[in-house]
């Protein structure tokens, strides 16, 4: 294997605690994600949208739909952690989700969804008083915090945008 196109930013971070500055940076990046994802697919043709971002990987279109549904899960996880005591979150089979027919829709559907979703997610995060509120991942049996969710989903959005911009650079699109 040469360059790892799957993880252009390296692996997902799972810190239990962030500094105030790191939180500000992460919130800022999450705020910008909808427009950056939109920019990452702007002007692509249908055949470009149906090109895998790497050999054997999801198509550009599937990546966009994945980000929207992943961040819907993020929204639910944040709300659970804020309203319940150490809730157990629900993992999901993201590769199987990506095989369903909604992943063939125009990317605009999920770009619009992500716009609205982040318009709701950001004030929820900006209102967090206690970033140490816990939640548990059942498969790993590990307990994390709201800071972990913030770091994970900040990384997650940028990770998928980078997959697409790396592809566009490689293809000269
Ligand atoms: Ni992902």
């Amino acid at each position: 294997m040469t360059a790892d196109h799957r993880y252009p930013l390296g692996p997902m971070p799972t810190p239990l605690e962030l500094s105030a500055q790191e939180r500000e940076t992460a919130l800022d990046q999450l705020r910008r994600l909808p427009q950056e994802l939109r920019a990452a697919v702007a002007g692509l043709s249908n055949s470009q949208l149906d090109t895998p971002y790497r050999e054997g990987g999801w198509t550009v279109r599937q990546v966009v739909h994945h980000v929207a549904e992943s961040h819907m899960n993020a929204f639910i996880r944040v709300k659970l952690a804020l309203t319940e005591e150490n809730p157990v979150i629900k993992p999901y089979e993201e590769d199987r989700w990506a095989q369903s027919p909604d992943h063939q829709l125009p990317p605009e559907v999920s770009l619009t969804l992500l716009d609205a979703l982040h318009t709701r997610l950001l004030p929820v995060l900006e209102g967090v008083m206690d970033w140490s509120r816990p939640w548990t991942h059942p498969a790993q049996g590990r307990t994390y915090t709201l800071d972990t969710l913030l770091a994970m989903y900040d990384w997650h959005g940028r990770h998928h945008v980078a997959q697409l911009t790396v592809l566009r650079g490689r293809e000269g699109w």
Side-chain angles (χ1 to χ4, degrees):
M1 230 194 315
T2 51
D4 191 345
H5 297 307
R6 190 166 187 188
Y7 289 97
L9 305 183
M12 182 173 70
T14 57
L16 293 178
E17 189 176 0
L18 296 176
S19 69
Q21 183 56 55
E22 288 169 330
R23 276 177 209 137
E24 278 314 304
T25 301
L27 286 169
D28 233 36
Q29 290 172 159
L30 275 176
R31 212 173 276 124
R32 290 203 307 268
L33 175 66
Q35 69 195 56
E36 291 190 348
L37 187 61
R38 186 178 290 279
V41 299
L44 294 180
S45 68
N46 268 323
S47 72
Q48 288 168 329
L49 290 170
D50 288 326
T51 303
Y53 78 89
R54 67 173 170 91
E55 208 181 312
W58 289 335
T59 64
V60 173
R61 185 190 303 274
Q62 285 174 306
V63 169
V64 174
H65 294 309
H66 162 73
V67 172
E69 65 197 12
S70 166
H71 289 214
M72 286 192 267
N73 276 279
F75 182 77
I76 300 294
R77 291 169 180 187
V78 168
K79 298 274 275 203
L80 286 172
L82 282 169
T83 57
E84 298 180 17
E85 292 313 313
N86 194 6
V88 176
I89 59 112
K90 180 72 182 75
Y92 66 102
E93 298 291 339
E94 59 179 33
D95 274 318
R96 293 186 189 173
W97 282 41
Q99 302 311 315
S100 68
D102 56 314
H103 273 245
Q104 298 308 316
L105 288 165
E108 183 56 39
V109 174
S110 282
L111 293 172
T112 302
L113 175 55
L114 196 68
D115 274 336
L117 184 63
H118 275 226
T119 300
R120 288 190 59 177
L121 177 62
L122 264 297
V124 174
L125 293 173
E126 287 159 356
V128 169
M129 304 299 287
D130 179 6
W131 286 97
S132 70
R133 286 191 66 84
W135 56 276
T136 293
H137 193 292
Q140 302 159 5
R142 280 194 61 190
T143 295
Y144 299 99
T145 66
L146 274 176
D147 267 332
T148 318
L149 280 178
L150 178 60
M152 284 170 55
Y153 285 98
D154 163 34
W155 171 89
H156 185 256
R158 292 183 295 107
H159 160 75
H160 286 296
V161 167
Q163 287 176 339
L164 302 182
T165 52
V166 166
L167 168 73
R168 292 188 75 158
R170 206 163 62 232
E171 298 289 340
W173 293 346

